[in-house]
Amino acid sequence: EAGVAQSPRYKIIEKRQSVAFWCNPISGHATLYWYQQILGQGPKLLIQFQNNGVVDDSQLPKDRFSAERLKGVDSTLKIQPAKLEDSAVYLCASSLGGAKNIQYFGAGTRLSVL
Amino acid sequence: SQQGEEDPQALSIQEGENATMNCSYKTSINNLQWYRQNSGRGLVHLILIRSNEREKHSGRLRVTLDTSKKSSSLLITASRAADTASYFCATDARGNKLVFGAGTILRVKS
């Protein structure tokens, strides 16, 4: 079974530039999550999709972050314009949902904003 | 905000020793999960314990849950160098959303 795929693995941009991350979840997983993980901290949920609908985006800075899940499969997360404090690892995860809610994570995209 | 808080923040032990990590949380939960993260990688699910369970085993892992104290512990027995990683507890308080703690960094010296 293929895992969660993310690209790119690394990205370096200057502040005020825009950047996009891509995620392909495990086949059949209806729920998709984007997390932000700042160095030395645990992952913080940015947005949760159920199929192609948003379930929770309460912690997504909507003035600069946006996300979509095309046809309920792949997803992209965009930052425009980026700030220095956006430097972090962006993790995508997917799950079948249900009572257990075990999540499967991609390797992440490490973003450095200079 | 992060609900779970792990203790200690960092732990260094010799190969073959046991490692114990603790997690405290604030609200009622459906289940609590532990994940491992190797450097530069994503998180990997280790074990899940439901709110009505008190102890669970999986290989060299033992997890306990005390809902009255809102705390959990993860014990790794007979540790190996390959166990070197960060360990996170995550609470599932309401459907399909996990809240992660800040993690414990475990270093196992060979």
Side-chain angles (χ1 to χ4, degrees):
Chain A
E1 177 183 80
V4 176
Q6 288 190 248
S7 67
R9 285 299 315 274
Y10 305 94
K11 191 73 178 178
I12 300 174
I13 62 173
E14 295 189 350
K15 60 183 179 183
R16 290 187 289 274
Q17 287 187 324
S18 62
V19 64
F21 313 125
W22 174 82
C23 173
N24 186 9
I26 292 173
S27 178
H29 282 195
T31 311
L32 184 147
Y33 311 81
W34 282 102
Y35 289 90
Q36 180 192 59
Q37 186 178 24
I38 292 172
L39 187 64
Q41 299 182 18
K44 183 185 87 171
L45 180 68
L46 291 176
I47 189 167
Q48 175 184 345
F49 291 94
Q50 180 75 18
N51 295 310
N52 61 352
V54 175
V55 174
D56 186 344
D57 63 356
S58 58
Q59 297 195 82
L60 186 73
K62 298 180 187 64
D63 58 334
R64 298 183 302 105
F65 287 63
S66 64
E68 60 180 2
R69 189 175 183 193
L70 305 172
K71 300 179 182 177
V73 181
D74 293 7
S75 178
T76 55
L77 176 70
K78 297 179 182 178
I79 307 175
Q80 182 179 11
K83 293 185 175 181
L84 296 178
E85 58 261 36
D86 298 332
S87 293
V89 175
Y90 291 85
L91 295 163
C92 178
S94 69
S95 75
L96 282 169
K100 286 190 175 182
N101 189 27
I102 293 172
Q103 297 185 15
Y104 298 83
F105 284 79
T109 297
R110 181 175 297 277
L111 174 66
S112 297
V113 182
L114 306 177
Chain B
S1 63
Q2 295 186 313
Q3 160 153 251
E5 292 186 6
E6 284 93 339
D7 169 58
Q9 288 186 324
L11 181 60
S12 183
I13 59 174
Q14 290 292 135
E15 205 165 28
E17 294 181 338
N18 295 341
T20 300
M21 288 158 267
N22 303 297
C23 169
S24 60
Y25 58 92
K26 297 172 186 172
T27 65
S28 297
I29 60 172
N30 295 323
N31 65 63
L32 184 145
Q33 303 179 33
W34 286 89
Y35 286 77
R36 183 188 73 230
Q37 185 177 35
N38 290 88
S39 181
R41 310 293 294 177
L43 282 76
V44 174
H45 177 263
L46 294 176
I47 194 166
L48 177 152
I49 186 164
R50 293 189 175 93
S51 60
N52 62 353
E53 296 175 314
R54 291 298 167 257
E55 187 171 312
K56 201 147 181 200
H57 297 256
S58 177
R60 294 184 296 112
L61 305 181
R62 173 179 169 251
V63 170
T64 62
L65 179 65
D66 187 336
T67 53
S68 67
K69 295 181 179 178
K70 291 186 170 59
S71 66
S72 173
S73 67
L74 172 68
L75 169 67
I76 304 174
T77 60
S79 63
R80 305 166 181 168
D83 295 328
T84 294
S86 293
Y87 292 81
F88 297 90
C89 69
T91 52
D92 186 345
R94 55 186 177 88
N96 296 329
K97 177 179 175 179
L98 293 181
V99 179
F100 287 84
T104 292
I105 300 171
L106 173 65
R107 181 187 171 204
V108 181
K109 295 176 284 186
S110 57

